[in-house]
């Protein structure tokens, strides 16, 4: 079996994970060097504990760390997961399969949504699900235009959605909602909709 490693998209570079801690960032002395201005000098680390590995965002960048599109501070990794540090995508490979994975609690099921709330989250996520990378979700004004409703109505729907998805107040609230919706599989790329029978 191949050794656990990280593959950097674009360059295709492969870096074998260290036995305990692998550092990732833009700095000269990290183990996985990502030469991109959206990556912090010391951005994150991948920690190995026996057959397991987890990624920890070190909180030193504005752009954060994502696993399969979802922003994380710490996350257990599985073979094939896509990690994004700032704007740089990587893939983790060579992790052994975990026969105990079935015992892990499943992701919480999504809250019940009205038809209009589904329309709002679909319009919200549409820009982020396009072919271009790192696009922000739609603004309330853009959602209102797409659904032919008032911006005030969209804002009311968004407030209810924040409550249903337990998205607390703070910066990037719309982005956090969109990430949660996408992680739960409630919004899919338009190509998938077009390809569906």
């Amino acid at each position: 079996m191949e050794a656990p490693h990280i593959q950097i998209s674009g360059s295709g570079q492969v870096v074998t994970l260290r036995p305990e801690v692998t550092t990732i960032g833009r700095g000269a002395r990290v183990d996985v060097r990502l030469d991109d201005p959206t990556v912090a000098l010391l951005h994150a680390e991948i920690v190995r504990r026996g057959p397991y590995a987890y990624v920890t965002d070190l909180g030193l960048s504005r752009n954060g760390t994502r696993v399969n599109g979802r922003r994380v501070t710490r996350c257990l990794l599985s073979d094939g997961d896509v990690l994004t540090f700032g704007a740089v995508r990587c893939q983790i490979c060579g992790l052994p399969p975990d026969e105990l994975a079935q015992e892990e609690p499943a992701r919480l099921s999504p809250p019940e949504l009205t038809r209009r709330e589904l329309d709002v989250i679909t319009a919200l996520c549409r820009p982020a699900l396009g072919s271009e990378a790192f696009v922000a979700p739609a603004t309330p004004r853009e959602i209102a235009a797409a659904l032919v409703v008032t911006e005030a109505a969209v804002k009311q729907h968004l407030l209810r959605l924040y409550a249903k998805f337990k998205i607390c107040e703070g910066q990037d609230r719309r982005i956090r909602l969109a990430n949660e919706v996408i992680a739960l599989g409630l919004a899919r790329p338009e190509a998938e909709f077009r390809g569906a029978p």
Side-chain angles (χ1 to χ4, degrees):
M1 183 172 178
E2 60 186 343
H5 62 276
I6 190 166
Q7 182 168 4
I8 303 165
S9 296
S11 72
Q13 180 186 1
V14 174
V15 181
T16 301
L17 297 182
R18 291 185 170 272
E20 291 185 7
V21 179
T22 303
T23 55
I24 299 155
R26 189 168 36 92
R29 297 187 181 170
V30 296
D31 301 314
V32 180
R33 188 163 187 276
L34 304 174
D35 191 17
D36 187 284
T38 63
V39 177
L41 292 175
L42 182 59
H43 195 106
E45 58 188 20
I46 296 175
V47 179
R48 291 175 63 190
R49 293 287 180 260
Y52 301 102
Y54 64 88
V55 65
T56 300
D57 180 83
L58 297 175
L60 302 172
S61 93
R62 215 177 287 133
N63 303 300
T65 298
R66 297 178 187 278
V67 176
N68 300 325
R70 184 172 185 172
R71 192 162 181 158
V72 299
T73 51
R74 180 177 291 179
C75 181
L76 187 64
L77 297 172
S78 298
D79 193 52
D81 280 345
V82 175
L83 287 76
T84 309
F85 306 102
V88 180
R89 290 170 56 106
C90 305
Q91 187 169 29
I92 190 99
C93 301
L95 294 178
D98 184 11
E99 52 286 343
L100 301 176
Q102 305 302 336
E103 296 177 17
E104 288 185 15
R107 180 187 292 281
L108 293 176
S109 57
E112 278 193 39
L113 301 174
T114 65
R115 183 74 206 138
R116 185 48 95 182
E117 287 169 345
L118 284 169
D119 292 342
V120 169
I121 62 173
T122 298
L124 170 75
C125 296
R126 185 168 287 126
L129 291 168
S131 56
E132 292 182 38
F134 314 111
V135 177
T139 64
R141 178 173 289 168
E142 291 166 338
I143 296 169
L147 300 178
V148 195
V149 296
T150 66
E151 194 173 338
V154 169
K155 287 179 179 177
Q156 286 302 311
H157 284 300
L158 286 172
L159 286 173
R160 283 195 292 276
L161 287 164
Y162 295 144
K164 285 187 176 186
F165 284 92
K166 298 179 174 50
I167 307 294
C168 55
E169 289 188 30
Q171 195 175 10
D172 301 328
R173 204 173 186 192
R174 258 183 322 108
I175 294 171
R176 286 183 283 137
L177 173 62
N179 285 337
E180 187 64 21
V181 164
I182 291 167
L184 287 167
L186 296 174
R188 295 178 296 165
E190 286 189 41
E192 288 186 28
F193 289 115
R194 286 196 298 269

